[in-house]
Amino acid sequence: MENHMTRQPLLEIENLAVSYFTRAGEIPAVADFNLRLDAGEAVGLVGESGCGKTTVAMAIMRYLGGNGRIVDGSIRFQDRDLTTMGKEELRQLRGSAIAMVYQEPMAALNPSMTIGAQLMEVPRFHDGATHAEAYERSRELLADVKLADSARLMAAYPHQLSGGQQQRVVIAMALLSNPKLLLLDEPTTALDVTVEAGIVELIRELAQKYGTGMLYISHNLGLIRDTCDRVCIMYSGRAVEMGSVRQLFEQPRHPYTQGLFHCIALPSTDKLARPLKPIRGQLPLPHQRPPGCSFAPRCDHFAAGTCDTPGLKMHEIGGGHEVRCERWRDIDKDAVTVTAPAEAAQAVGEEVISVNDLSKYYAVRDRSVAAMITRRRVRYVKANESLTFTAREGETVAIVGESGCGKSTFAKVLMGLETATDGAIEFQGKDIANTDVQQRSRKQVSALQMVFQNPFDTLNPSQSVGSQIGRVIRKFDSSTDRSKVRSRVVELLDLVKLPRDFMHRRPRQLSGGQKQRVGIARAFAGNPSAVVADEPVSALDVSVAAAVTALLLDIQRRNRTTLLFISHDLGVVRYLADRVVVMYLGRVMEQGTTEEVFSPPYHPYTEALLSAVPVADTRVRKKRIILEGTLPSPLNPPKGCPFASRCQRKIGDICDTTPPPVLASPSGHAIACHIALAELAEVEPVFTVEQADAAE
Amino acid sequence: MAILILKRIGTMALMMLVVSLIVFLLLEIDKESVAVKVLGVFTTEEQRRLWLEANGYFEPLYLRYFSWLAGFVTGDLGESTVFRVPVSEILWPRLANTAILGVLAMLVLIPLSLLLGVFAGMREGSLQDRAISVVSIITTSVPEFASGIFLVAVFVVGLHLLPGTSTMIEGFDLTQLVLPVAVLVIYDFGYVTRMTRASMAEVMMTPYIRTAVLKGLPFRRVIVRHALRNALIAPFTVIMLQINWLLSGVIVVELLFAYKGFGTLLLEAALNGDIFVIEACTMVAVFVAVATQTIADLGYTLLNPRIRFT
Ligand code: SF4
Ligand code: SF4
């Protein structure tokens, strides 16, 4: 990178502008975009949805669909202009010199072709390889992306593989022709953290091995930090800041970049040290972009006369660090460290929810011939097994784990959408584990509410926001008359910080974050004493998620609600939870206060989970643990410790044969493992924060 | 897979049984009307009673059903009251005639509409797409008798190229089949084409087609290897349903060209109250419906590896 300017660039994008042409007219998606990428270099492209980052990648591939067009600029790849290239020339480049890895591996693979057939096409069509050669090369690459049993995989169909395996296949396919440039479009977004960590590791290794240049598109700054040399931040169709990872992460100059960093909860620091500060307002729609700086309506540093002059340029501020902000000189570069409005630790009240030995099994009928012969036709998926924990008034308990760990099943049982197989859930002194929601009293239902992951699915599209909230209010309190309902609706809209006239809007007129606010308003309509939030912000963009998280936390604190926060995002969990329950394969692996869970002694699974989380802070050093293998089938879980098949600290046969004891410290910190607590306490912490050396 | 096939065939048999029961109950529960239909209205009470007696109609209902069913299974379909010959003697030749017509229509219809559908859906919104779509909408909206009469006017009356009727009195004659097949194809190809087009267009939008294109495959390869198989799953089911449609849908065409097929037989039987012919025809029609549905289901499973291997 030292002689950055003298080296021949692999990819050089100049003044790129891409527009989509719809009936409503031309919609500019990307404008005035410049980027230079050297051979072997990895550049991250970061931004929230709608910022144009995927459009840039698709423009490079010249795959913009029927209505997208490059309206200006050039994309030079190895000194050839891609924008004017003929079809055949383009075809020869695609998939050979430039290859791509996609966001949803399942969708990116052809469901009716075997993995082998799909892989072999690449050498067959680009290098004219024979069938046998193509087969051999494909198999080798499957081994290269660390997929065991490659011969069997070659004959498999995509749906027979797990998500992580599918993505490895897609990566193998991209690397088969030894590309010079690899475009990665959110390659791990659909995957669990521990799987993601494996893929990221793989990408890094392979890029080094093959010397591939990479354009890594992501919304996750932590991932970019782990994979890239340089970063480009995009906002509303333009690059707003560009520089090396160090420059940008340690001294972000653009107010938007700074804002983004304030929106990310890090698993390495707690909320008191680093409060979230959402960016106010929302992304302007393409036709509503203000003249001049498109971030202006949301910027705290806006100055009329300077920021609203059209055609703002990038400013080079030294060392290849560029920023598109007129006032960069005036903005404090250390503004990253805002001081916290001191948050008084809350005293928790009495127990509201007490889960006791709760189990939920699902019967699965096996119709295979083998099952008919062995007469084991009904098998059980143990979605939840002996869950025990409590949540108190005013307390936030986070339930964390990856997909398939049983956290959503637990939420269903708690909400009465399913009934328990065994055990009890005591809520306000009554066992509700076996009463489904129809049989619960109105008071019970209103006292225990839920915020869903996908606000889009839970709102009725044909009813106004006001009438939907009103209906919930009336359901819980039939005595309320019209004017009272109305005033309560207004109250709730105020509570979730939505303008009052949103009452008359329909769901489709709302953005994702606004919909989730309505979802929160509905949940709090009946003054619940407990709220279950199932991944409430995982479908939202970073800056929106931060705002919704802060809101939820604020309401919860004021109402002293018990919040059960189900999430896979350990950063957010560390930020808002008082206590944490870590689940794996339906069982509790570890629980304790947030402080306890996030520092040694760790359960080996918690340790692996923490080390898998990408951290967007260059000062944080992280222990690297990559879990092998995939989640065992819940139909056939390991006999001993559920984590035994992947555990990095497994001590021997005892882990496979005997379920581990629960080791509890006097404070209530509990770990289910065969390793002694004292020994676990000795492992070094996953995160160590380097003292900020003068990185100036 | 073998289990699946067996299961499907089992369901099919069960459905046939249920239908047969319904047909039996509907048509035969009233003994008197059966006798009237068979013997005619100008018979005495006594004659009918004797006939009913002789044919076992005074036995309990379930025994009657079983012997009726046994007759069906063994091919004894009773006697046509109009032609006074065993039903099977007229049913099978008529069915064969319709089958010839149907097979010919299908042989033209399937390749034609799949080809057009694929070409249209391959590049959505292109000129070829719009042209094919417009033509297929127009042809489907013209009823068969209209297009039939139009074709007759042009090719028979105007150009004297083809015979106007398809009675086949002087033995099998392929030229007599041209117009009936044409009418059937013209009416039906638009529907199958549009289904194929929709399916193809949908597949072309999927991420895996994007993968294939960005892999640098030639467009032909993308279409033939990646798109076609997935795009043909839906039309396959539709085509199976067309077979079913042909069986009854041909009535108009058979009538128009005086073709001695299954449709006209059913029509004549219904008009004349030819009870055993009606029964036999109904059962045949239902059988074809159930069988095509079963084949459609099985084919769908075969074409779709996501269902095949789970
Ligand atoms: S140009 Fe002005 S409005 Fe835009 S980011 Fe800079 S200070 Fe804020
Ligand atoms: S019991 Fe064994 S396998 Fe399970 S977490 Fe502990 S060391 Fe690992």
Side-chain angles (χ1 to χ4, degrees):
Chain A
M1 255 215 340
E2 298 76 54
N3 46 6
H4 178 250
M5 284 303 154
T6 54
R7 237 199 279 174
Q8 175 70 356
L10 179 69
L11 180 77
E12 198 165 25
I13 303 178
E14 262 169 23
N15 300 325
L16 180 71
V18 181
S19 290
Y20 291 101
F21 293 85
T22 65
R23 247 172 279 164
E26 178 180 349
I27 295 173
V30 171
D32 188 20
F33 186 85
N34 294 281
L35 182 88
R36 168 195 169 104
L37 198 150
D38 290 332
E41 189 187 25
V43 174
L45 207 52
V46 182
E48 298 178 275
S49 47
C51 74
K53 53 191 195 297
T54 301
T55 305
V56 169
M58 287 309 169
I60 296 174
M61 278 298 200
R62 285 268 307 275
Y63 194 79
L64 289 164
N67 59 353
R69 211 160 61 221
I70 296 172
V71 288
D72 194 16
S74 66
I75 304 173
R76 301 188 69 75
F77 174 76
Q78 292 181 322
D79 260 345
R80 287 194 284 170
D81 192 346
L82 294 174
T83 57
T84 54
M85 197 172 267
K87 271 193 185 150
E88 178 56 23
E89 217 180 333
L90 197 63
R91 182 191 74 70
Q92 285 172 6
L93 273 187
R94 285 173 172 170
S96 75
I98 310 179
M100 187 151 181
V101 175
Y102 311 87
Q103 177 165 5
E104 301 255 356
M106 176 70 180
L109 292 169
N110 191 328
S112 62
M113 281 172 76
T114 60
I115 301 294
Q118 299 190 51
L119 286 171
M120 282 158 60
E121 279 182 335
V122 178
R124 297 285 309 258
F125 279 84
H126 284 300
D127 311 322
T130 64
H131 185 93
E133 283 164 11
Y135 185 87
E136 236 358 89
R137 290 251 304 274
S138 305
R139 254 195 62 178
E140 267 168 36
L141 249 133
L142 282 183
D144 252 13
V145 295
K146 310 229 168 60
L147 284 171
D149 208 358
S150 51
R152 195 184 53 82
L153 276 181
M154 290 288 281
Y157 285 93
H159 72 274
Q160 296 170 308
L161 274 56
S162 72
Q165 289 173 321
Q166 287 166 355
Q167 194 59 296
R168 279 167 198 264
V169 169
V170 174
I171 292 173
M173 194 150 79
L175 292 176
L176 255 172
S177 59
N178 222 333
K180 292 281 163 289
L181 176 63
L182 190 60
L183 308 178
L184 301 122
D185 186 8
E186 305 260 12
T188 57
T189 304
L191 306 174
D192 272 321
V193 243
T194 56
V195 181
E196 173 181 83
I199 298 274
V200 167
E201 173 96 354
L202 176 79
I203 291 172
R204 213 168 18 202
E205 253 178 55
L206 292 176
Q208 233 159 47
K209 180 170 163 191
Y210 293 99
T212 317
M214 292 198 295
L215 189 63
Y216 197 114
I217 296 169
S218 179
H219 66 280
N220 186 332
L221 281 164
L223 273 180
I224 296 293
R225 180 216 155 182
D226 282 353
T227 47
C228 295
D229 308 314
R230 289 196 301 130
V231 206
C232 170
I233 309 275
M234 288 188 76
Y235 182 77
S236 192
R238 282 161 207 269
V240 294
E241 186 162 5
M242 188 158 348
S244 71
V245 166
R246 253 206 125 84
Q247 285 165 340
L248 219 120
F249 278 63
E250 286 168 14
Q251 294 174 347
R253 288 311 186 99
H254 196 281
Y256 175 64
T257 315
Q258 296 179 348
L260 271 187
F261 280 106
H262 289 313
C263 289
I264 310 171
L266 299 177
S268 51
T269 38
D270 63 29
K271 56 184 152 192
L272 299 177
R274 206 176 154 286
L276 289 192
K277 189 165 153 285
I279 305 174
R280 64 191 161 82
Q282 47 176 311
L283 193 77
L285 296 173
H287 55 273
Q288 291 169 344
R289 282 177 197 153
C293 175
S294 44
F295 189 59
R298 306 173 73 183
C299 182
D300 291 333
H301 305 281
F302 175 77
T306 316
C307 301
D308 47 10
T309 43
L312 299 186
K313 290 270 161 274
M314 282 290 238
H315 296 281
E316 161 84 44
I317 61 174
H321 193 169
E322 290 173 76
V323 57
R324 196 190 295 271
C325 171
E326 287 302 303
R327 304 196 57 219
W328 66 272
R329 263 178 259 266
D330 310 329
I331 296 169
D332 182 7
K333 61 174 184 283
D334 296 322
V336 193
T337 43
V338 276
T339 40
E343 200 62 77
Q346 286 231 334
V348 289
E350 42 189 81
E351 264 175 31
V352 176
I353 297 174
S354 149
V355 183
N356 225 320
D357 238 348
L358 183 81
S359 297
K360 171 71 189 173
Y361 299 166
Y362 290 103
V364 175
R365 270 168 218 291
D366 189 339
R367 294 180 200 280
S368 70
V369 184
M372 274 159 85
I373 293 166
T374 54
R375 300 197 158 271
R376 287 184 55 207
R377 303 200 50 178
V378 183
R379 296 201 282 168
Y380 292 95
V381 173
K382 299 181 177 175
N384 284 166
E385 173 93 329
S386 310
L387 299 189
T388 303
F389 66 90
T390 57
R392 295 166 177 277
E393 187 196 46
E395 190 179 41
T396 300
V397 177
I399 303 175
V400 296
E402 298 173 282
S403 45
C405 76
K407 51 194 200 291
S408 298
T409 304
F410 170 70
K412 280 187 195 147
V413 176
L414 185 61
M415 297 310 295
L417 303 173
E418 304 262 4
T419 51
T421 310
D422 200 8
I425 302 175
E426 216 164 279
F427 176 62
Q428 298 179 321
K430 290 203 188 67
D431 180 16
I432 54 166
N434 283 302
T435 12
D436 73 29
V437 68
Q438 260 104 31
Q439 291 159 4
R440 291 185 186 178
S441 70
R442 195 191 288 159
K443 237 185 89 213
Q444 275 177 331
V445 174
S446 68
L448 183 58
Q449 278 292 301
M450 182 145 178
V451 178
F452 295 90
Q453 170 172 18
N454 225 331
F456 315 92
D457 302 339
T458 50
L459 294 177
N460 181 344
S462 61
Q463 273 188 352
S464 73
V465 166
S467 70
Q468 298 201 40
I469 300 178
R471 229 193 37 220
V472 181
I473 297 170
R474 249 165 303 168
K475 199 168 94 197
F476 295 146
D477 188 357
S478 47
S479 65
T480 343
D481 59 41
R482 251 168 178 275
S483 63
K484 265 208 205 132
V485 169
R486 205 184 153 78
S487 65
R488 179 84 180 119
V489 169
V490 170
E491 221 175 282
L492 284 165
L493 286 176
D494 288 350
L495 182 74
V496 296
K497 302 203 174 83
L498 284 176
R500 291 184 181 182
D501 63 331
F502 267 48
M503 207 168 1
H504 310 294
R505 295 217 187 167
R506 311 219 166 233
R508 74 184 138 78
Q509 294 168 294
L510 307 183
S511 71
Q514 290 164 342
K515 278 184 200 154
Q516 193 55 290
R517 282 168 197 260
V518 174
I520 293 173
R522 274 202 318 191
F524 280 88
N527 279 323
S529 52
V531 168
V532 181
D534 187 1
E535 305 265 12
V537 298
S538 63
L540 304 175
D541 267 320
V542 186
S543 67
V544 183
V548 173
T549 308
L551 175 83
L552 189 61
L553 208 59
D554 185 47
I555 300 175
Q556 180 249 346
R557 230 178 251 138
R558 268 192 280 156
N559 296 5
R560 293 189 57 75
T561 320
T562 304
L563 182 64
L564 285 187
F565 191 84
I566 298 177
S567 179
H568 69 276
D569 184 339
L570 288 163
V572 176
V573 165
R574 173 133 202 205
Y575 184 72
L576 54 69
D578 301 306
R579 295 194 330 109
V580 179
V581 177
V582 181
M583 286 179 70
Y584 184 79
L585 225 57
R587 262 160 283 201
V588 175
M589 297 281 102
E590 175 169 6
Q591 60 174 309
T593 64
T594 307
E595 203 48 47
E596 287 165 343
V597 172
F598 279 77
S599 50
Y602 303 109
H603 185 280
Y605 175 61
T606 314
E607 190 185 11
L609 203 57
L610 281 174
S611 86
V613 185
V615 179
D617 186 339
T618 45
R619 288 167 310 169
V620 173
R621 289 283 152 268
K622 187 172 78 163
K623 191 155 58 169
R624 190 183 292 170
I625 300 166
I626 303 288
L627 289 185
E628 301 289 330
T630 49
L631 203 71
S633 155
L635 266 175
N636 200 1
K639 281 201 183 54
C641 172
F643 189 48
S645 60
R646 301 169 75 197
C647 180
Q648 75 279 13
R649 295 197 182 276
K650 188 172 161 185
I651 48 174
D653 287 344
I654 184 167
C655 294
D656 289 321
T657 52
T658 324
V662 176
L663 315 167
S665 73
S667 67
H669 181 203
I671 293 178
C673 183
H674 284 300
I675 304 176
L677 264 187
E679 203 176 315
L680 287 174
E682 257 157 40
V683 307
E684 58 176 312
V686 173
F687 305 114
T688 39
V689 180
E690 273 177 14
Q691 280 322 307
D693 47 17
E696 187 66 7
Chain B
M1 195 67 207
I3 294 182
L4 185 78
I5 295 177
L6 284 179
K7 257 190 195 160
R8 288 290 172 189
I9 291 177
T11 340
M12 198 173 127
L14 201 71
M15 268 167 77
M16 291 299 300
L17 215 62
V18 172
V19 172
S20 73
L21 192 62
I22 294 171
V23 168
F24 175 77
L25 289 178
L26 276 178
L27 291 172
E28 301 231 353
I29 196 149
D30 184 359
K31 307 192 243 311
E32 275 305 306
S33 82
V34 175
V36 171
K37 283 193 183 116
V38 174
L39 301 177
V41 269
F42 306 110
T43 44
T44 61
E45 195 102 342
E46 181 61 14
Q47 283 171 310
R48 290 186 216 144
R49 205 188 55 75
L50 279 176
W51 184 85
L52 286 173
E53 177 99 61
N55 286 285
Y57 271 83
F58 291 109
E59 309 236 358
L61 196 63
Y62 70 93
L63 279 182
R64 270 173 60 201
Y65 172 65
F66 281 130
S67 66
W68 179 84
L69 194 66
F72 249 109
V73 175
T74 53
D76 172 13
L77 309 179
E79 194 173 79
S80 163
T81 56
V82 176
F83 301 105
R84 296 289 164 198
V85 289
V87 172
S88 52
E89 258 175 48
I90 36 178
L91 180 68
W92 300 126
R94 292 296 199 99
L95 204 55
N97 281 348
T98 293
I100 292 170
L101 187 59
V103 166
L104 282 176
M106 280 295 171
L107 281 182
V108 181
L109 178 80
I110 295 173
L112 179 74
S113 45
L114 288 188
L115 214 65
L116 287 178
V118 166
F119 268 112
M122 198 162 82
R123 296 185 200 269
E124 210 184 352
S126 63
L127 196 67
Q128 69 201 37
D129 176 21
R130 273 173 290 166
I132 292 172
S133 294
V134 167
V135 170
S136 61
I137 288 175
I138 293 175
T139 53
T140 313
S141 48
V142 176
E144 296 126 300
F145 64 85
S147 59
I149 290 169
F150 174 75
L151 287 183
V152 168
V154 175
F155 291 100
V156 182
V157 184
L159 300 172
H160 300 290
L161 275 178
L162 292 165
T165 53
S166 315
T167 46
M168 309 264 174
I169 292 171
E170 287 144 37
F172 185 78
D173 179 3
L174 200 61
T175 54
Q176 294 191 5
L177 278 174
V178 173
L179 284 180
V181 167
V183 172
L184 286 175
V185 169
I186 286 175
Y187 180 71
D188 206 32
F189 92 93
Y191 180 63
V192 182
T193 300
R194 273 182 298 147
M195 292 302 290
T196 313
R197 180 203 167 273
S199 170
M200 185 72 186
E202 195 188 312
V203 166
M204 290 306 288
M205 295 293 288
T206 57
Y208 61 80
I209 293 299
R210 182 186 62 189
T211 309
V213 173
L214 296 188
K215 223 194 246 180
L217 299 180
F219 192 64
R220 259 183 64 100
R221 171 88 179 174
V222 174
I223 298 296
V224 174
R225 196 77 173 81
H226 286 262
L228 273 187
R229 172 148 183 194
N230 295 298
L232 290 185
I233 296 176
F236 176 75
T237 318
V238 174
I239 288 172
M240 290 317 288
L241 293 179
Q242 300 316 305
I243 295 182
N244 198 4
W245 165 80
L246 271 178
L247 200 63
S248 51
V250 289
I251 295 185
V252 175
V253 174
E254 290 181 2
L255 217 57
L256 199 66
F257 294 98
Y259 185 70
K260 294 255 170 277
F262 180 77
T264 38
L265 177 66
L266 185 57
L267 194 68
E268 285 161 20
L271 292 176
N272 297 326
D274 197 343
I275 178 163
F276 298 119
V277 175
I278 296 178
E279 283 175 4
C281 287
T282 313
M283 291 307 287
V284 167
V286 171
F287 175 79
V288 172
V290 177
T292 48
Q293 188 60 51
T294 305
I295 296 171
D297 277 0
L298 288 174
Y300 186 82
T301 315
L302 259 180
L303 285 171
N304 199 337
R306 257 174 300 188
I307 305 182
R308 195 158 22 123
F309 307 97
T310 35

